[in-house]
Amino acid sequence: MSVYDYDIGVIGGGAAGLTVASGSAQLGAKTVLVEREELLGGDCLHFGCVPSKTLIKSASVYHQLGRLKEFGLPAVERPPVDFSQVRQRIEQTIATIQHHDSVARFTGLGVDVCFGAAQFVDEHKVDIGDRVLSARKWVICTGSSPYLPPIAGLESSKPLTNRTLFSLETLPESLLVIGGGPIGIEMAQAFNRLGSTVTLLQRSKQILTREDADLADDLRQMLEREGLRIECDLELRGVSRDSSGVRVRVRDADGAEKDFSGSHLLVGAGRSVNVQEMKLENSGVTYTERGIEVDRRMRAGCKHIYAAGDVVGGYQFTHAAGYEGGIVVSNAVMGLPRKTDYRWMPHCTYSDPELAGIGMSEKEARRQGIAGDVIEEPFSGNDRANAESETGGKIKLILDTKGRILGVRILGVHAGDLLSEWVAALNGGVKLSTIASAVHPYPTLGEINKRVVGSIFSEKIFSDRVRRILRTIHRYRG
Ligand SMILES: Cc1cc2nc3c(=O)[nH]c(=O)nc-3n(C[C@H](O)[C@H](O)[C@H](O)COP(=O)(O)OP(=O)(O)OC[C@H]3O[C@@H](n4cnc5c(N)ncnc54)[C@H](O)[C@@H]3O)c2cc1C
């Protein structure tokens, strides 16, 4: 008889924890899942991907109504947005998807689901409030929370974060957004489109600092053309709130101090990992402020405690959490020594147009001293993009000196979906010539993938050398 209550204990019912729990139970391991909130699903379902993408869609539809004349249609007067209706739609979408992450579904898979905040008693035992559970192996999947940068007065001014933004009763009249990363950009554009006056305040010189400057700057211009105000290269000095709203004091690149004010303030300035309240010191697991330290098999310092998802820092995406959860299942449950490989981990910022990527950026390639070519193709050359009046942006292939792909970046309409061809091609080791010769349906946005690769080969095929050889052959044949 086992000395432990469970084979596998999982802490946290978000993307990573649910992946581990379902995989573990379906493989026959006695599995318990502990979640501190009332519902399963984690940040992605309740405060992240799902509400944000639902909001973005509502904002996009409303924005398109303002473009009717561009499409040869009669313009209409748009009534102001009733945010409570948008909020209701967000709640409905969450409720629909919640079925997939319901307790009943996981219980049906064989998982014991318990609610309570988990704290380690020792390396095999976890206190969940009303009892102590023991497991042979524990997996920590506690995710992350909004990070509030140390700016005087910020915390006491009670800013909105992703935890509170989607349950607003009314549309903010004027919204200040701190942070020009993916969350800040997506939400700033969405609220601007819905009718708030939005100003985005960014510390760095460009938005989306990890992206190549040319793409980030192109996107910035497109957002500004829609009326979003973006201020970069700022030092944020302090925040204050009074009955009229909130004020953010900044120092700009020239050293001048100025104030921005708004009715609401949203902070989207990164994430801090959820490690503090678990008494990890009792487990032997070590962490830094970046996250729990794991090896490539997701082991957190000892053989029987693993960690996955946002809590390990690194790639804080739902698909990364699911991937890491799968690595844990292989190692902890199946005993297969599978290691993480993030080389082809894709990402996407769901602005309009989207900015998506896989592999190295041009900036990263140059930082590593790689001097290969960068091949570009604009959306303005794509027939479908023209038919849809969505011609902004371009695709970039970043190549090494031997012409192999290091990375792809796409700024354009549906970039996240267009990236899927590259996800498959790069993971499958598909040759560029295969993509170039594969027939893509016309007219689709996806043809941009074929066309950008085609431009590499067309330079060779239609070169002077080939022309000379063919001319000689034709002459010889008479
Ligand atoms: C606004 C926003 C938009 C986003 N959009 C996208 C997107 O479009 N695409 C994308 O891929 N990613 C997106 N993300 C990121 C994505 O939400 C996260 O990467 C993902 O949720 C991480 O999953 P996780 O399982 O690691 O953590 P979480 O989903 O946060 O789950 C962790 C769970 O652990 C629980 N927990 C914490 N501590 C304890 C404890 N001590 N005991 C018990 N339970 C505990 C928490 O309550 C939570 O349910 C977005 C994030 C935000 C904030």
Side-chain angles (χ1 to χ4, degrees):
M1 207 178 106
S2 172
V3 290
Y4 303 109
D5 302 330
Y6 293 95
D7 300 315
I8 302 287
V10 183
I11 305 173
L18 294 177
T19 304
V20 177
S22 63
S24 163
Q26 290 181 85
L27 287 166
K30 196 175 177 207
T31 305
V32 65
L33 171 66
V34 185
E35 169 54 53
R36 71 175 175 189
E37 301 276 349
E38 285 172 9
L39 294 166
L40 299 180
D43 247 31
C44 177
L45 177 57
H46 299 285
F47 311 108
C49 331
V50 174
S52 62
K53 270 74 238 179
T54 310
L55 177 83
I56 285 170
K57 182 64 188 179
S58 291
S60 163
V61 171
Y62 191 64
H63 174 74
Q64 295 300 335
L65 278 181
R67 293 181 66 197
L68 289 175
K69 280 192 91 171
E70 267 183 67
F71 294 91
L73 299 167
V76 292
E77 195 65 44
R78 288 182 301 167
V81 168
D82 173 357
F83 194 75
S84 67
Q85 301 287 313
V86 178
R87 187 184 129 166
Q88 249 180 48
R89 180 172 170 261
I90 292 173
E91 286 165 358
Q92 277 161 10
T93 310
I94 293 174
T96 305
I97 299 175
Q98 181 74 65
H99 291 300
H100 187 74
D101 292 351
S102 66
V103 174
R105 179 167 167 259
F106 279 82
T107 308
L109 293 173
V111 180
D112 280 354
V113 180
C114 301
F115 289 94
Q119 293 187 326
F120 278 90
V121 176
D122 65 28
E123 54 184 41
H124 286 289
K125 288 197 198 114
V126 161
D127 187 340
I128 63 162
D130 57 353
R131 70 204 124 123
V132 172
L133 303 170
S134 66
R136 185 181 301 281
K137 294 175 183 172
W138 281 99
V139 190
I140 304 168
C141 305
T142 48
S144 64
S145 303
Y147 169 70
L148 293 189
I151 302 168
L154 178 61
E155 211 171 330
S156 58
S157 73
K158 297 207 169 24
L160 293 165
T161 66
N162 67 297
R163 297 280 303 195
T164 47
L165 183 68
F166 305 110
S167 45
L168 281 172
E169 291 290 341
T170 52
L171 187 73
E173 193 186 314
S174 49
L175 180 67
L176 299 177
V177 179
I178 292 181
I183 296 173
I185 291 291
E186 288 178 12
M187 294 300 94
Q189 183 181 35
F191 276 92
N192 185 61
R193 285 182 160 190
L194 289 171
S196 300
T197 303
V198 182
T199 308
L200 185 130
L201 307 173
Q202 163 76 329
R203 216 178 38 179
S204 315
K205 286 195 175 117
Q206 73 170 60
I207 58 168
L208 301 172
T209 44
R210 289 187 191 162
E211 301 289 355
D212 289 336
D214 56 338
L215 298 175
D217 292 346
D218 276 1
L219 177 59
R220 177 180 174 169
Q221 280 174 23
M222 292 186 227
L223 297 173
E224 285 176 332
R225 277 202 292 275
E226 282 185 14
L228 177 60
R229 183 171 177 192
I230 299 178
E231 298 280 337
C232 289
D233 208 0
L234 300 175
E235 184 192 336
L236 303 178
R237 307 278 294 160
V239 179
S240 58
R241 174 179 283 285
D242 60 26
S243 55
S244 65
V246 65
R247 194 181 299 272
V248 179
R249 169 146 290 219
V250 305
R251 182 180 286 159
D252 70 15
D254 301 325
E257 297 225 340
K258 46 187 170 182
D259 287 345
F260 292 95
S261 49
S263 60
H264 293 70
L265 172 65
L266 167 68
V267 180
R271 311 287 300 166
S272 61
V273 290
N274 292 335
V275 287
Q276 307 297 347
E277 288 156 26
M278 269 185 294
K279 296 204 173 154
L280 279 178
E281 62 280 10
N282 294 336
S283 70
V285 168
T286 53
Y287 62 89
T288 65
E289 60 179 22
R290 294 214 48 203
I292 290 180
E293 291 168 343
V294 289
D295 65 12
R296 288 186 61 198
R297 291 165 64 180
M298 304 310 294
R299 291 175 301 194
C302 55
K303 279 190 178 159
H304 61 274
I305 304 187
Y306 294 73
D310 276 15
V311 74
V312 303
Y315 295 89
Q316 293 181 316
F317 310 124
T318 294
H319 48 276
Y323 169 69
E324 290 167 354
I327 298 283
V328 172
V329 172
S330 297
N331 284 284
V333 185
M334 302 171 83
L336 299 174
R338 218 176 121 208
K339 291 181 180 169
T340 48
D341 178 356
Y342 295 106
R343 187 168 175 214
W344 301 128
M345 179 61 67
H347 68 272
C348 183
T349 297
Y350 297 90
S351 46
D352 181 11
E354 295 173 354
L355 177 43
I358 185 168
M360 259 187 227
S361 61
E362 183 181 1
K363 186 194 305 200
E364 179 58 21
R366 300 295 175 251
R367 200 187 60 78
Q368 292 190 23
I370 303 170
D373 286 338
V374 173
I375 313 290
E376 299 185 353
E377 177 67 30
F379 274 86
S380 57
N382 177 279
D383 291 358
R384 182 61 176 271
N386 277 286
E388 303 209 348
S389 291
E390 300 287 0
T391 50
K394 64 185 175 187
I395 183 170
K396 277 171 77 171
L397 299 189
I398 297 99
L399 307 177
D400 69 9
T401 43
K402 291 189 175 150
R404 292 173 301 207
I405 293 204
L406 295 171
V408 181
R409 290 294 177 276
I410 310 176
L411 171 67
V413 59
H414 298 307
D417 290 304
L418 293 176
L419 197 70
S420 295
E421 183 165 5
W422 296 104
V423 172
L426 293 167
N427 280 285
V430 174
K431 285 190 190 148
L432 287 179
S433 55
T434 308
I435 299 176
S437 61
V439 180
H440 289 56
Y442 176 85
T444 56
L445 296 168
E447 283 180 298
I448 198 167
N449 291 332
K450 177 181 164 82
R451 188 153 170 168
V452 70
V453 178
S455 64
I456 301 174
F457 294 103
S458 59
E459 268 178 36
K460 290 179 189 154
I461 294 169
F462 301 117
S463 67
D464 285 347
R465 187 161 170 265
V466 173
R467 250 194 302 272
R468 267 200 312 275
I469 294 168
L470 286 177
R471 216 177 285 138
T472 312
I473 293 171
H474 289 311
R475 231 178 270 139
Y476 174 74
R477 282 182 179 162

